[in-house]
Amino acid sequence: MRAALIWGGLGLALALPLGAAALSPLLAWREPVYIAAGFAGVIGLGLLLVQPLLALGLLPGLSAPHARRIHGWTGASLVAAVILHVVGLWITSPPDVIDALTFTSPTPFSIWGVLAMWGIFATALLAASWRRLHLHPRLWRRAHLALAALIAGGTIAHALLIDGTMELFTKLGLCLLVGLTVARALVARWGARR
């Protein structure tokens, strides 16, 4: 029963924002590429909820090695979602993306989104190469946790500052869940280190 509640709650937390975004009146008259880019962003935010749950072993029915493997696949999916998000926005409005990437955009949500994006890319690069770089596992974990905090904080700020296709209450709820689970992961890992 507990496992069903956890999986059901996670499914609901991920599905509600997607469903609410699909019903947004702001999608009217938008190009399919722009809509796909927006949904890639919503999916990326949802994946940020899944990642710490996998890292902490809080999803029932998954062994630790299996959860770690899925954590890696989810991380790769997060990178893909971010690339789709940025490329889709580039296709629809290259000047806005250039302004965001060069930190000259007048909109604060762009800065937070770009910081989170570079954090995601840095994490993926570290995850793929930490053994080849001969990084000590403790250093890798610290870097990963610091980047996770940057990614979560930047993404939450990015999402909350945008008045876009995401419905306000489901967006607030998902951002709150992401913030709480990442905070729990940071506290748990800090406690384990001490």
Side-chain angles (χ1 to χ4, degrees), residues 56-129:
L56 292 169
L58 296 177
L59 295 176
L62 297 176
S63 66
H66 195 191
R68 272 194 301 275
R69 199 171 313 115
I70 295 172
H71 184 77
W73 295 336
T74 306
S77 300
L78 181 57
V79 170
V82 169
I83 290 171
L84 288 172
H85 185 62
V86 173
V87 168
L89 295 175
W90 171 271
I91 290 169
T92 58
S93 182
D96 288 339
V97 175
I98 290 170
D99 286 350
L101 293 174
T102 57
F103 295 103
T104 56
S105 174
T107 55
F109 67 79
S110 297
I111 294 167
W112 289 111
V114 170
L115 287 173
M117 177 192 75
W118 287 121
I120 288 166
F121 292 161
T123 302
L125 185 63
L126 273 175
S129 59

Side-chain angles (χ1 to χ4, degrees), residues 2 9-11 15-16 31 33 49-50 61 81 83 105 126 144 147 149 154 156 163-164 173 177-178 189:
R2 180 177 176 272
L10 178 59
L16 281 177
E31 298 174 30
V33 173
L49 173 60
V50 177
I83 290 171
S105 174
L126 273 175
H144 189 58
L147 287 167
I156 290 168
D163 187 17
L177 289 172
V178 168
R189 294 302 182 221

